[in-house]
């Protein structure tokens, strides 16, 4: 009887649904900390010369990515090349300003073939540990989030800062925390109550921080925030240093919320508090219908990496 039930269930499945859930499509859900374009190849393609190892810049793409974070195959398990070095160590930069990572006798370089010069020894050692962790059979970029963020902050942010800020502000009106479930519907009243409990304190902090009360909307498309609030947030982004802006961009891309990103970077939210807000609606569904193993648990693990990596990167870059 059980076998008959299974056969009948399989026959009833729409073939288009199976195509949608195929492995390549599922893997593409887990894009980088800032969701790089799918057509872009990994920036961790290696080439070496006698004295250095650099990350080859990705090939030109037809479509410009909406993310500015250095791309990599995050949470897909891809391998980009065999481990070609035996020893990993750190040393002070030749000019005495910063620290570099050495793979054997070669200096690690960025895609632009400049030495990866890090602001603190703590960050250099952490990135060196990521390289030391790599296995003999291949380099796994998804295990090196700090390396990705360092390349982003040191190489891409300085030359694309206006674009980064423009992109973040373009999404501000559709910020996750401004979307509020209707309170006059039995299906959504529970979600609304949880949002009021968990998100309203953050909105109160946003008002006290920038002097303008944010507006919430019962629409997935959001609405328009007060110009004064948008200008104040944009001015804050303009005052950030390169590491801060890289961290904010990475968190915002994963959280779908610039507000949460700023709150995390400024210490208003802890990592687990931010994750709770990001997953608030989905966790309510999990509480009601149960957790799907191999689905929800992987989503949570991936999100923890996406949110915690920029926080750790920022702390190490400041020697905190």
């Amino acid at each position: 009887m059980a076998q008959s039930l299974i056969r009948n269930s399989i026959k009833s499945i729409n073939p288009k649904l199976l195509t949608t859930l195929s492995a390549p499509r599922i893997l593409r859900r887990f894009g980088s900390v800032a969701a790089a374009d799918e057509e872009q190849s990994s920036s961790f393609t290696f080439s070496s010369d006698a004295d250095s190892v650099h990350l080859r810049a990705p090939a030109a793409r037809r479509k410009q990515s909406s993310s500015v974070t250095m791309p990599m195959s995050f949470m897909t398990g891809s391998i980009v090349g065999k481990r070609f070095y035996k020893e990993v160590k750190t040393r002070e930069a030749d000019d005495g300003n910063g620290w570099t990572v050495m793979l054997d006798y070669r200096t690690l370089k960025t895609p632009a073939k400049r030495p990866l010069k890090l602001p603190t020894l703590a960050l250099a050692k952490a990135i060196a540990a990521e390289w030391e962790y790599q296995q003999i059979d291949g380099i796994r970029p998804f295990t090196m989030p700090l390396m990705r963020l360092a390349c982003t902050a040191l190489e891409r942010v300085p030359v694309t800062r206006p674009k980064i800020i423009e992109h973040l502000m373009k999404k501000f009106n559709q910020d996750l925390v401004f979307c509020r479930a209707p309170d006059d519907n039995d299906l959504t009243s529970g979600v609304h109550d949880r949002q009021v409990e968990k998100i309203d304190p953050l909105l109160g902090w946003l008002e006290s921080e920038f002097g303008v009360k944010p507006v919430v909307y019962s629409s997935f498309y959001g609405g328009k925030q007060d110009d004064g609030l948008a200008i104040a947030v944009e001015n804050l982004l303009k005052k950030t240093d390169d590491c801060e802006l890289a961290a904010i961009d990475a968190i915002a891309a994963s959280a779908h919320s610039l507000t949460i990103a700023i709150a995390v970077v400024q210490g208003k939210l802890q990592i687990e508090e931010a994750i709770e807000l990001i997953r608030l609606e989905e966790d309510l569904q999990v509480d009601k219908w149960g957790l799907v193993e191999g689905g929800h648990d992987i989503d949570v693990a991936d999100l923890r990496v996406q949110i915690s990596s920029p926080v750790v990167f920022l702390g190490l870059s400041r020697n905190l």
Side-chain angles (χ1 to χ4, degrees), residues 97-158:
N97 183 24
W99 300 83
T100 60
V101 176
M102 304 292 295
L103 305 180
D104 292 334
Y105 56 88
R106 304 176 182 90
T107 302
L108 186 61
K109 292 190 175 183
T110 68
K113 300 185 181 181
R114 292 193 292 265
L116 185 67
K117 190 184 298 184
L118 302 160
T120 67
L121 177 59
L123 180 58
K125 285 186 175 295
I127 291 176
E130 290 183 335
W131 285 92
E132 182 62 46
Y133 173 82
Q134 302 307 308
Q135 304 300 305
I136 300 247
D137 65 332
I139 305 295
R140 292 167 171 80
F142 59 92
T143 63
M144 294 192 283
L146 298 179
M147 178 68 190
R148 175 181 60 95
L149 286 162
C151 288
T152 300
L154 300 178
E155 187 156 276
R156 296 191 71 183
V157 171

Side-chain angles (χ1 to χ4, degrees), residues 49-85:
D49 50 43
D51 300 314
S52 66
V53 176
H54 66 271
L55 310 179
R56 187 178 303 156
R61 295 167 292 145
R62 294 188 300 273
K63 183 173 67 174
Q64 186 68 31
S65 170
S66 62
S67 168
V68 296
T69 301
M70 212 64 177
M72 75 177 190
S73 304
F74 202 87
M75 288 297 287
T76 64
S78 61
I79 299 177
V80 298
K82 290 186 177 182
R83 175 168 173 160
F84 52 87
Y85 55 91

Side-chain angles (χ1 to χ4, degrees), residues 172-173 175-180 203 206 214-217 225 259:
F172 182 60
N173 286 324
D175 197 296
L176 174 71
V177 300
F178 301 148
C179 183
R180 184 61 52 88
L203 297 180
L206 189 67
V215 181
V216 296
Y217 300 89
Q225 295 296 320
T259 302

Side-chain angles (χ1 to χ4, degrees), residues 46 52 100 117 158 166 182 205 239 268-269 282:
F46 302 95
S52 66
T100 60
K117 190 184 298 184
E166 178 186 0
W205 169 82
K239 294 177 183 178
K268 168 61 179 175
L269 289 177
E282 188 168 358

Side-chain angles (χ1 to χ4, degrees), residues 264-283:
V264 170
V265 168
Q266 293 198 350
K268 168 61 179 175
L269 289 177
Q270 298 300 310
I271 293 171
E272 289 300 323
E273 292 174 329
I275 291 173
E276 182 182 14
L277 295 184
I278 296 166
R279 290 188 49 83
L280 187 148
E281 292 83 3
E282 188 168 358
D283 282 344

